[in-house]
């Protein structure tokens, strides 16, 4: 057995029982050079924002370029907020034009790698020219401010070009992850009423070509609102071009220049994009973000949470199909003039060290990924990162799900080699920006905790009646005040917007996540409120039981659900995948039950453990417990599975049930 895992297992036990005791202070050298260097500085920034939120955010907004200054910082008509009212700006201008009037014009904006190994580097000037040209293409095709444009592309430079070109002319984009099916494309194009779809002949994934154009053809019927399609040639896969409707990207680009395309000044509240949530808990919601507040929030959180410096090489592994790719690959980093790395393909292609090779080759200094990826890396083994030089790294981050302390520890030791702070960032498509996270030079980490709220964010844990709960008590995570990059609505569904986020506690944003604060005020995310278990009167977060299971050296991943039970209210059922070639048997089941009993308490012991080859996940890598809940009670319905990664898995899990 691996001694590191043993150590992690022992430490996990402490964390669950006395989380406040384990603190990992930022390395001194890191703090010395950081924007926010210690707790005093964090606290004073936090207090400044708490006492005068509008003054605080206005100061940050002053770091961006505005065509017309705002008249009012915030207009808050519950639950509708407007930020920087009366101001005019352009998101693309802030990401590009602002930099090319300085020496940054020759700085690398994008270092891109395709899955087959092709690379491209675009300077800020080059990216600017491509974006201006493509914005001219969009205008020629009749796209006007306010028209929606769907982008269904692999992660290639042109996807970023397309997003920024839309922003440049004031056309809200809706990016659809390239892994989605034709059906998901149809739903989103219809819901957003997109006039144009930008796609590619295909994209690479694990050496195979995903037929994107073919799926677009399937998705757009004759009645589709989208009557134009632009097709980028990426793979050379054969496609059928429909006359009138379909145009090759390279043909259109031949006929335009980069001139005559100034960034369109738009109102601060002009829609920047619509993006659909991951669909982990139900049907995806079309989240609307607008321009001014969103740019302020993403610009400033990128700078402080990643402590982003001019010379950093910054890599967020999220696809632009997710909000993380919007806020922390494109808008946030580029508003800061950063050098951004992007990679098209799978982390294990051609071999499981691809990410580490990219870090080595491009000297990545900031690396931001998801717990699901980290758990895969753990499963694949330490030898893969060990064979690469990762000394360029100085900061690590995670987002998307609670990170199990055992995975945190692995990330810290195996990737960070114990010298890089880790920022565990909690936020949502809806929040637009990171809300709870360590500031890496200032706030000591506790593995498994997102630590403290970002300045300007008033987060709280409350009970069902909205009353703040004591430290150590579980409750609902809410945000008390509006923040600049908050969602402005669910596209076309104001009722659901009201109902979902603002009806339980009027004027207070309901996140839908459960949390607990410890004595130090640190936030521990427990999972979705819908998923919280109630066993013999004990409220248990899925994250607690799952982290306990993952701290066992045989377990790779775990998903926990509650099954109705006459005696205890709910019985804990755990679906578990095992590491490497370990085979599950009854002995291991009872070992795992005992392990959970030791770590949390015997009431939390899973009644039943089910070994599975894989867990159902969204295409962004989040565990979909709602499907497991149905399988566990033999319910044949499945709900909305348009964002499920591998739909064939459901049948296999059901078979294992029988
Ligand atoms: P849907 O809303 O459609 O069910 P989703 O909530 O998974 O999908 P996203 O907006 O992509 O859609 O994810 C946000 C959620 O991800 C958060 O509400 C939270 O549950 C989880 N999450 C994100 N980051 C973290 C984190 N650092 N720690 C714990 N949970 C996290
Ligand atoms: Mg959600």
């Amino acid at each position: 057995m691996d001694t590191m895992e043993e150590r992690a297992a022992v430490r996990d036990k402490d964390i669950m029982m006395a989380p406040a005791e384990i603190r990992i202070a930022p390395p001194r050298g890191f703090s010395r050079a950081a924007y926010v260097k210690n707790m005093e500085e964090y606290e004073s920034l936090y207090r400044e924002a708490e006492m005068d939120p509008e003054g605080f955010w206005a100061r940050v907004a002053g770091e961006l370029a505005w065509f017309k200054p705002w008249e009012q910082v915030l207009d808050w008509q519950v639950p509708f907020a407007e930020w920087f009212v009366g101001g005019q700006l352009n998101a693309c201008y802030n990401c590009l034009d602002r930099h090319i009037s300085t020496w940054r014009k020759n700085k690398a904006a994008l270092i891109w790698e395709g899955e087959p190994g092709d690379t491209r580097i675009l300077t800020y000037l080059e990216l600017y020219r491509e974006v201006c040209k493509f914005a001219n293409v969009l205008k020629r095709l009749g796209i006007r401010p306010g028209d929606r444009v769907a982008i269904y592309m692999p992660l290639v430079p042109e996807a970023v070009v397309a997003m920024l070109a839309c922003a440049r002319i004031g056309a809200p984009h809706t990016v659809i992850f390239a892994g989605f099916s034709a059906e998901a494309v149809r739903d989103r194009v219809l819901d957003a009423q997109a006039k144009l779809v930008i796609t590619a002949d295909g994209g690479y994934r694990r050496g195979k070509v995903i037929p994107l154009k073919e799926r677009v053809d399937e998705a757009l019927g004759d009645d589709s609102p989208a009557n134009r399609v632009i097709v980028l040639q990426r793979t050379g896969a054969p496609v059928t071009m429909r006359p009138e409707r379909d145009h090759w990207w390279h043909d259109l680009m031949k006929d335009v220049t980069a001139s005559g395309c100034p960034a369109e000044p738009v109102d601060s509240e002009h829609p920047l994009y619509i993006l659909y949530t991951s669909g982990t808990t139900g049907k995806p919601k079309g989240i609307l973000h607008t321009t001014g507040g969103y740019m302020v929030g993403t610009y400033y959180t990128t700078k402080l949470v990643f402590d982003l410096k001019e010379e950093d090489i910054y890599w967020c592994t999220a696809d632009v199909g997710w909000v993380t790719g919007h806020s922390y690959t494109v808008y946030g980093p580029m508003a800061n003039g950063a050098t951004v790395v992007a990679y098209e393909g799978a982390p294990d292609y051609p071999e499981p060290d691809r990410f580490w090779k990219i870090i080595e080759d491009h000297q990545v200094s900031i690396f931001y990924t998801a717990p699901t990826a980290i758990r895969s890396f753990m499963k694949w083994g330490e030898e893969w990162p060990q064979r690469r030089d990762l000394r360029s790294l100085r900061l690590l981050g995670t987002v998307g799900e609670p990170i199990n302390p055992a995975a945190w520890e692995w990330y810290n030791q195996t990737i960070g080699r114990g010298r890089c702070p880790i920022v565990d960032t909690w936020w949502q498509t809806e929040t637009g920006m990171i809300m709870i996270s360590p500031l890496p030079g200032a706030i000591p980490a506790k593995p498994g905790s997102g630590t403290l709220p970002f300045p300007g964010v008033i987060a709280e844990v409350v009970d069902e009646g909205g009353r703040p709960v004591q430290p150590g008590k579980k409750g609902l995570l809410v945000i008390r005040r509006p923040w600049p990059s908050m969602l402005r609505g669910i596209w076309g569904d104001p009722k659901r917007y009201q109902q979902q986020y603002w009806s339980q506690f009027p004027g207070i944003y309901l996140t839908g996540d459960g949390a607990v604060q410890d004595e130090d005020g640190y936030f521990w995310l427990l999972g979705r409120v819908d998923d919280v278990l109630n066993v013999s009167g004990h409220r248990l977060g899925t994250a607690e039981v799952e982290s306990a299971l993952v701290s066992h050296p045989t377990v790779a991943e775990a998903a926990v659900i509650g099954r109705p039970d006459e005696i205890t209210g709910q019985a804990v059922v755990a679906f578990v995948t095992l590491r490497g070639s370990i085979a599950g048997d009854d002995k291991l089941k009872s070992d795992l039950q005992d392990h959970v009993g030791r770590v949390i308490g015997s009431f939390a012991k899973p009644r039943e453990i089910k070994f599975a080859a894989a867990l159902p996940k969204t295409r962004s890598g989040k565990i979909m417990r709602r499907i497991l809940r149905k399988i566990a009670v033999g319910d044949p319905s499945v709900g909305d599975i348009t964002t499920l990664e591998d739909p064939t898995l459901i049948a296999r899990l059901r078979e294992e049930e029988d």
Side-chain angles (χ1 to χ4, degrees), residues 277 281 285 428 430 511 528:
T277 57
T281 55
K285 302 165 281 269
Q428 308 175 302
E430 292 90 336
T511 66
R528 313 305 174 115

Side-chain angles (χ1 to χ4, degrees), residues 498-529:
Q498 284 257 12
Q499 213 272 326
Q500 180 113 23
Y501 307 108
W502 305 98
S503 63
Q504 189 159 354
F505 313 119
I508 295 171
Y509 174 79
L510 183 72
T511 66
D513 284 347
V516 58
Q517 267 185 294
D518 67 22
E519 294 285 344
D520 296 324
Y522 277 42
F523 287 82
W524 297 76
L525 272 295
L526 301 172
R528 313 305 174 115
V529 173

Side-chain angles (χ1 to χ4, degrees), residues 594-606:
D594 291 344
H595 180 71
V596 174
R598 267 196 309 277
V599 174
I600 306 177
S602 56
F603 67 94
K605 272 191 188 179

Side-chain angles (χ1 to χ4, degrees), residues 277-281 285 400-402 424-425 428-429 513 528 622:
T277 57
S278 297
T280 314
T281 55
K285 302 165 281 269
E401 287 182 295
D424 173 0
T425 64
Q428 308 175 302
T429 310
D513 284 347
R528 313 305 174 115
K622 294 164 194 267

Side-chain angles (χ1 to χ4, degrees), residues 363-441:
Q363 297 281 296
V364 171
S365 58
I366 301 174
F367 178 68
Y368 188 33
T369 195
T372 181
I374 297 168
R375 292 190 301 257
S376 299
F377 302 143
M378 290 171 75
K379 204 151 75 176
W380 297 335
E382 308 203 335
E383 61 272 26
W384 296 104
Q386 260 156 13
R387 62 163 76 162
R388 297 290 172 185
D389 180 357
L390 303 181
R391 280 173 303 179
S392 58
L393 289 172
R394 68 179 198 93
L395 177 69
L396 303 174
T398 87
V399 61
E401 287 182 295
I403 177 163
N404 319 112
W408 194 102
E409 191 56 40
W410 187 93
Y411 198 29
N412 183 37
Q413 290 305 333
T414 310
I415 307 306
R417 315 264 149 105
R419 45 169 204 85
C420 302
I422 296 178
V423 289
D424 173 0
T425 64
W426 177 87
W427 60 295
Q428 308 175 302
T429 310
E430 292 90 336
T431 68
M433 68 177 213
I434 293 168
M435 302 292 274
I436 298 177
S437 165
L439 296 187

Side-chain angles (χ1 to χ4, degrees), residues 83-99:
W83 282 85
F84 308 106
V85 185
Q88 287 193 339
L89 77 166
N90 182 286
C92 176
Y93 185 95
N94 274 286
C95 290
L96 300 177
D97 306 48
R98 218 154 63 89
H99 308 311

